[in-house]
Each structure stands twice: as C-alpha cells, then as structure tokens.
Amino acid sequence: MASNRILYVCQEVTPYVPETEGGLLCRKLSQAMQERGNEIRTFMPRYGCINERRHQLHEVIRLSGMNLIIDDNDHQLIIKVASIPSARVQIYFIDNDDYFARKAVLRDADGGCFADNDERAVFFARGVLETVKKLRWSPSIVHCHGWFSTIAPIYLKHVFSDDPIFKEVKIVLSIYDDGFEAPLDAGLKEKIAHEGVEDENLSVLETPSYENLYRYVMQYADGFVLASEHVSPALCEAVRRSGKPVLEYQAPDTAEFFDNYARFYDSL
C-alpha cells in the first residue's frame, strides 16, 4: 500500500467530546493510518464543552492570529493542539470565541441545532485549510467526516483550487447517520456564493437541508464512504449513482477494516 498524506477534517474526535460513531472512527482511523506509515493531520472544532486542562490543549501562536471574514464580519482564528498519548496522534483544534465558546457541540440544551451552525461550518472549513497552508503541508487525500465538514470540499474546488498546496488532492466524503430535520440558515447559499463560488448547482441550497447539502457537495468528492449502517437511503442511492468509488459500510470489528480504508485511498 502506498504512503499518503491524509488530512482528516472531522466533526468530532473521541475523547474530546462525548463518544459518537464518527468521533470514535476518526480517532481510530487517524491512529491506524499513521501506524501504516502515512503522514496524518487531524482537525476538529474546539467546542466549548472540551476540557482544555484535562486534555492539555495549548494554543499554537505561530498559526493563530489570522482573521477570517464570514458574512462580512471579522472572526479571529485561533489554533490549538493536543495529543492522544495512547495513540501518539496529534489533534489540531479550530477555535473562535464567537462560534465555539458555548458549552455544547452542535445542539442546544433542548436538542435543537444552533441557528448559526452554517457559519460555524464555514469558519471551520476555512480555518482548517488556511492552517494547512501555514503549515506548508500538502495533503494527497482530504477525508471529511460528518456533515459539519462538508464545506471543505467546496473551498478546495473553488477558493483554493489554484493553490499548489491542494493542487493534486483527492477528496473523500464519509457520510454518517447524523442528519437533522430543520434546515440550515436560509442564507447559506448566498454566504457560499459570497466566498467567490460561482456554480449553477448552488440552486440546490435554496432549501439548505441536510440531504441537499450533501447532494450539492457530492459533485466535489472523488470518493465516498458509507460510514454508518443506517445512512439515509436517498443519499446512499445518490452516492451509488454518482459513478465514483464507494467504500460500502463495514462493521468496525471487521478484520480488514482499516486495510480497506488504506486500499480505498490508494485506489483514488
């Protein structure tokens, strides 16, 4: 199996937030691919519920300090880092007081999605890619996990498309059973267009639902992973009809689970 430089853009990573299917997979996949000789960079948001002292997060001053403009407003980009000692894996955190200070992940105490989740996702995607540029590290694979990471492929194919850091990158999109019922902010389409994205397919986001977001982003992926056993049937059908490589769902305890991921990366 060939060695790859893999950028993991993760909605969640265990043990920093309460354990989820995606969070546990991102933690194990990062370790498994690193142990197989790949270069790894793993990013997640620094949600306010993360205990920075317990997990020994510290700010990376040389990477922090940039301001990102989201919907005509400046937001400071702060980069933090921590290590999972048992895995020897380093995790980078995208932080900003406006978007990630609240003591929650993506939902409020009543279980409703935060109204600004769309802007939070945009900031996260921009923050990851700007930080990778500062690191001067060129990934061969960008693997996005969870709906919150889906803005990254849009940026890679538009805003950063001519950047030599990302010139040859292949994009993998993992789809989980992490849907939400209420649509995202109605202005998401305009916010993406405002970033310089000229795309006739943006009309799909006139109704910015969970499934429509994935339908729009699918055009930018080079391969898909059905990471949950119960992914939306409509999305499963759309993925399989795309004609692009698909790694079908496999139980995490499958003997060749991580080798199948490695082979899938190599096939792209």
Side-chain angles (χ1 to χ4, degrees), residues 149-188:
S149 72
T150 56
I151 304 298
I154 302 172
Y155 276 110
L156 283 167
K157 293 299 185 179
H158 288 278
V159 182
F160 294 87
S161 60
D162 295 325
D163 195 302
I165 290 285
F166 303 109
K167 197 69 174 176
E168 304 297 328
V169 76
K170 298 295 184 182
I171 299 171
V172 177
L173 195 60
S174 273
I175 307 177
Y176 293 84
D177 179 19
D178 63 347
F180 48 85
E181 292 184 5
L184 294 167
D185 184 82
L188 176 60

Side-chain angles (χ1 to χ4, degrees), residues 44-48 52 57 59 64 66 68 75-80 92-102 123-124 127:
M44 69 172 287
R46 202 288 301 171
Y47 300 111
E52 295 197 23
L57 273 69
E59 185 176 349
S64 300
M66 183 186 304
L68 304 182
H75 301 276
Q76 186 181 22
L77 174 62
I78 301 168
I79 309 300
K80 296 178 180 176
Y92 289 89
F93 296 84
I94 298 298
D95 197 5
N96 171 267
D97 287 344
D98 299 323
Y99 292 131
F100 298 116
R102 66 201 71 168
F123 183 88
F124 176 55

Side-chain angles (χ1 to χ4, degrees), residues 46-121:
R46 202 288 301 171
Y47 300 111
C49 58
I50 295 174
N51 188 317
E52 295 197 23
R53 179 175 295 182
R54 179 192 305 155
H55 294 296
Q56 299 182 26
L57 273 69
H58 62 271
E59 185 176 349
V60 186
I61 302 298
R62 68 184 178 89
L63 297 176
S64 300
M66 183 186 304
N67 274 20
L68 304 182
I69 300 174
I70 308 296
D71 199 24
D72 292 326
N73 294 307
D74 278 359
H75 301 276
Q76 186 181 22
L77 174 62
I78 301 168
I79 309 300
K80 296 178 180 176
V81 69
S83 295
I84 305 175
S86 60
R88 298 182 180 178
V89 169
Q90 197 172 56
I91 307 294
Y92 289 89
F93 296 84
I94 298 298
D95 197 5
N96 171 267
D97 287 344
D98 299 323
Y99 292 131
F100 298 116
R102 66 201 71 168
K103 302 295 183 181
V105 179
L106 299 176
R107 295 177 181 270
D108 60 27
D110 297 322
C113 294
F114 290 115
D116 63 347
N117 272 348
D118 64 320
E119 288 191 16
R120 299 171 83 210

Side-chain angles (χ1 to χ4, degrees), residues 85-253:
S86 60
R88 298 182 180 178
V89 169
Q90 197 172 56
I91 307 294
Y92 289 89
F93 296 84
I94 298 298
D95 197 5
N96 171 267
D97 287 344
D98 299 323
Y99 292 131
F100 298 116
R102 66 201 71 168
K103 302 295 183 181
V105 179
L106 299 176
R107 295 177 181 270
D108 60 27
D110 297 322
C113 294
F114 290 115
D116 63 347
N117 272 348
D118 64 320
E119 288 191 16
R120 299 171 83 210
V122 168
F123 183 88
F124 176 55
R126 278 278 303 278
V128 170
L129 300 180
E130 294 288 0
T131 302
V132 170
K133 282 185 61 177
K134 274 197 171 184
L135 288 169
R136 297 181 180 177
W137 183 75
S138 183
S140 53
I141 303 284
V142 174
H143 191 164
C144 299
H145 291 263
W147 78 262
F148 198 72
S149 72
T150 56
I151 304 298
I154 302 172
Y155 276 110
L156 283 167
K157 293 299 185 179
H158 288 278
V159 182
F160 294 87
S161 60
D162 295 325
D163 195 302
I165 290 285
F166 303 109
K167 197 69 174 176
E168 304 297 328
V169 76
K170 298 295 184 182
I171 299 171
V172 177
L173 195 60
S174 273
I175 307 177
Y176 293 84
D177 179 19
D178 63 347
F180 48 85
E181 292 184 5
L184 294 167
D185 184 82
L188 176 60
K189 174 176 173 283
E190 285 68 31
K191 291 169 189 174
I192 292 175
H194 191 64
E195 293 294 310
V197 177
E198 297 180 2
D199 185 343
E200 61 183 14
N201 292 327
L202 262 176
S203 60
V204 172
L205 293 179
E206 288 176 1
T207 301
S209 65
Y210 172 83
E211 290 193 359
N212 282 349
L213 177 60
Y214 268 111
R215 286 192 181 95
Y216 175 69
V217 175
M218 279 179 187
Q219 65 183 315
Y220 301 126
D222 297 289
F224 302 95
V225 177
L226 298 179
S228 294
E229 187 174 6
H230 301 294
V231 172
S232 155
L235 289 182
C236 287
E237 181 183 1
V239 161
R240 292 171 182 140
R241 290 176 59 187
S242 71
K244 299 175 182 179
V246 180
L247 181 59
E248 296 284 345
Y249 173 75
Q250 53 183 331
D253 56 357

Side-chain angles (χ1 to χ4, degrees), residues 28-47:
K28 291 183 175 180
L29 190 57
S30 295
Q31 178 181 358
M33 292 303 112
Q34 183 167 273
E35 290 175 346
R36 283 161 173 74
N38 300 282
E39 287 185 45
I40 302 297
R41 299 290 185 275
T42 301
F43 283 78
M44 69 172 287
R46 202 288 301 171
Y47 300 111

Side-chain angles (χ1 to χ4, degrees), residues 3-16:
S3 175
N4 287 295
R5 297 180 305 280
I6 308 169
L7 171 61
Y8 288 113
V9 186
C10 304
Q11 181 170 305
E12 300 153 331
V13 179
T14 300
Y16 300 104

